Amino acid sequence: MTMNLLEGRKLVVAVTGGVAAYKAAELVRLLGKAGAQVHVVLTRAGARFVTPVTFQALSGNPVWEDLWDARVPNNMAHIDLSRDADAIVIAPATADVIARLVHGLADDLLTTLCLARTCPLLVAPAMNRQMWEHPATRRNIGLLASDGALVLGPDAGDQACGETGMGRMLEPETLCEAVVRFLSPKPLAGRRIVMTAGPTFEAIDPVRGITNISSGKMGYALALACARAGAEVDLVSGPTGLAVPEGVRCTMVRSALQMRDAVNAVITGADVFIGVAAVADYRPDQAEEHKIKKTGDGLTLSLVPNPDILAEVAARPDAPFCVGFAAESRDLDQYATGKLRAKRLQMVVGNLVQDGLGTDDNRIVLYDADGRHPLPHASKALLADKIVEHLAGLLAAARPARSGA
Ligand code: PMT
């Protein structure tokens, strides 16, 4: 999670009485780490699971439990707390609190606060699977959503009661990401983006191959940033050890030929193509069916060129807005601008392999028709946001979003 993504945001996190309340402590910590000012409201049942002291320590703010809290001189805690809040997040939300919200009850601080709010409400249900599947809960969740609340989860899995099924609260990292996404500006709303990331692996025999040390971190960070900015993202990824970013559709492939097929399967109608993958330029002309045995003699591999996926996409009659990456070991300006022209791209992200290949940080320069735009050395997550900002500006000028987007 990038630091400062929630800088300047005020969030009310409400914790109700479920076993998942222990996960709310981590959620509060993550939201605070992302820069938010967090105020915790704890219901009486919630306080049976985790004490206010924990939330006070993690949020750095007093915890609110009582509608009649004497700390508020005008006795208006239910209004003051959410007055300038960006959102109220209820995590965990029990079946009981959901039912009470749906009926507009206002008999404690949390329900009164929700009824009196003007900010968005995000709800992360957590309950036993039979409670979740009960027609009353199904009905209540539908009503809550139609009243405008954003329902996050639940997930399926092992439950505290020993059963397995739907009803687990989403993990704190997933919830934090959902809050970030909800509050992020959406300059790419209505755009569909196809991207490649990671290395390719070109088989020599069943156990060996030609590959490179691309980790996929730059591409995955960019896919996440695009999704947060409101784009629909199709990521085609070579082999990496990374988790697929939240809200991104991902097709895993191995070789350059598979990557090209997977891109072609989704490229029609895309608004943008971004080639972050370090695609092998060559592959063995044929992979041996059986493991090559050591003979003691030298071994010569015969290589044939791989297709250039980015160049092929840019040459399509219905070519989307094309963004290439240029990974060089020297003369970055010269090679990157060369790629911008030769592949007829609208934008190139240039980096030196010694700065960015396999690392967590990178130093990049953006190239477009207006020239070069260097960015300071930073984490790939932060740089991904900067790339999205630049891309969104160019895209808006070149291809205004379709109406309704
Ligand atoms: O994955 P990480 O460890 O985070 O590292 C990130 C990165 C260094 C891999 C990334 O920032 C980067 O620079 N990616 C492009 C690497 C590369 O292959 O550059 P290139 O200059 O060889 O290729 C130029 C462009 O053509 C790239 O957009 C590439 O995806 C594309 N290409 C290249 C060859 C090919 N056969 N098909 C392609 O689509």
Side-chain angles (χ1 to χ4, degrees):
M1 173 70 53
T2 317
M3 306 280 281
N4 305 334
L5 279 172
L6 293 174
E7 198 67 58
R9 300 293 196 173
K10 175 182 167 187
L11 297 170
V12 174
V13 174
V15 182
T16 71
V19 181
Y22 78 93
K23 293 193 203 171
E26 176 65 358
L27 174 63
V28 168
R29 192 186 72 80
L30 291 173
L31 294 170
K33 198 173 156 209
Q37 192 196 120
V38 183
H39 295 270
V40 175
V41 170
L42 195 55
T43 64
R44 197 179 308 160
R48 287 183 167 261
F49 289 88
V50 184
T51 69
V53 180
T54 304
F55 290 112
Q56 178 163 347
L58 290 170
S59 68
N61 284 312
V63 172
W64 301 89
E65 296 178 86
D66 188 1
L67 190 54
W68 310 109
D69 198 312
R71 287 172 296 183
V72 184
N74 62 0
N75 258 334
M76 291 285 167
H78 62 292
I79 293 176
D80 286 356
L81 255 179
S82 69
R83 197 184 290 277
D84 53 352
D86 291 287
I88 298 177
V89 184
I90 309 183
T94 57
D96 174 67
V97 84
I98 290 167
R100 291 195 298 131
L101 289 174
V102 163
H103 289 285
L105 299 189
D107 55 356
D108 65 3
L109 178 59
L110 173 58
T111 48
T112 314
L113 191 64
C114 287
L115 206 57
R117 80 182 197 283
T118 50
C119 66
L121 176 64
L122 281 64
V123 177
M127 64 197 76
N128 159 273
R129 73 175 172 86
Q130 266 143 350
M131 291 171 84
W132 174 251
E133 280 156 17
H134 193 284
T137 308
R138 314 284 344 113
R139 203 165 47 237
N140 287 338
I141 285 288
L143 284 170
L144 194 66
S146 64
D147 280 350
L150 178 63
V151 180
L152 305 168
D155 210 350
D158 293 343
Q159 302 202 305
C161 54
E163 297 183 11
T164 304
M166 281 300 274
R168 272 175 71 89
M169 188 173 88
L170 294 182
E171 293 306 316
E173 294 76 13
T174 309
L175 283 177
C176 184
E177 171 58 30
V179 173
V180 168
R181 179 159 317 178
F182 181 77
L183 294 175
S184 295
K186 304 280 181 292
L188 294 178
R191 309 290 195 174
R192 192 162 75 79
I193 299 185
V194 177
M195 295 179 51
T196 62
T200 63
F201 180 92
E202 312 298 329
I204 295 171
D205 71 11
V207 294
R208 305 181 183 96
I210 299 172
T211 188
N212 59 68
I213 58 168
S214 164
S215 61
K217 287 176 190 165
M218 188 70 246
Y220 279 51
L222 190 52
L224 180 61
C226 288
R228 273 188 194 145
E232 189 187 334
V233 183
D234 277 299
L235 174 66
V236 178
S237 172
T240 70
L242 304 176
V244 175
E246 294 283 338
V248 168
R249 266 190 308 262
C250 182
T251 307
M252 296 301 299
V253 297
R254 222 156 80 115
S255 66
L257 291 181
Q258 289 170 354
M259 187 171 271
R260 175 171 70 168
D261 287 349
V263 166
N264 285 339
V266 290
I267 196 68
T268 304
D271 299 285
V272 179
F273 176 74
I274 311 178
V276 195
V279 186
D281 289 322
Y282 294 90
R283 67 179 185 278
D285 61 355
Q286 69 171 68
E288 295 297 330
E289 192 185 345
H290 297 288
K291 186 179 169 197
I292 299 172
K293 303 306 286 180
K294 185 167 67 181
T295 61
D297 295 333
L299 178 69
T300 303
L301 291 174
S302 168
L303 303 178
V304 293
N306 267 326
D308 189 315
I309 302 167
L310 174 62
E312 285 186 1
V313 171
R316 288 170 67 102
D318 61 345
F321 187 99
C322 283
V323 180
F325 270 63
E328 308 296 343
S329 55
R330 63 195 164 106
D331 300 329
L332 184 58
D333 283 349
Q334 183 191 331
Y335 288 123
T337 48
K339 274 173 191 159
L340 189 71
R341 274 187 237 106
K343 297 194 189 187
R344 297 215 253 142
L345 309 174
Q346 282 72 45
M347 175 175 160
V348 164
V349 181
N351 49 189
L352 292 171
V353 285
Q354 51 274 34
D355 287 337
L357 197 58
T359 54
D360 289 337
D361 299 342
N362 201 355
R363 184 187 303 278
I364 62 175
V365 182
L366 308 180
Y367 301 85
D368 59 25
D370 286 338
R372 67 192 291 279
H373 315 275
L375 293 175
H377 183 261
S379 71
K380 286 180 176 172
L382 200 76
L383 291 172
D385 289 336
K386 299 283 176 205
I387 296 171
V388 163
E389 218 176 285
H390 198 83
L391 166 66
L394 291 183
L395 198 55
R399 304 179 183 204
R402 286 182 279 266
S403 59

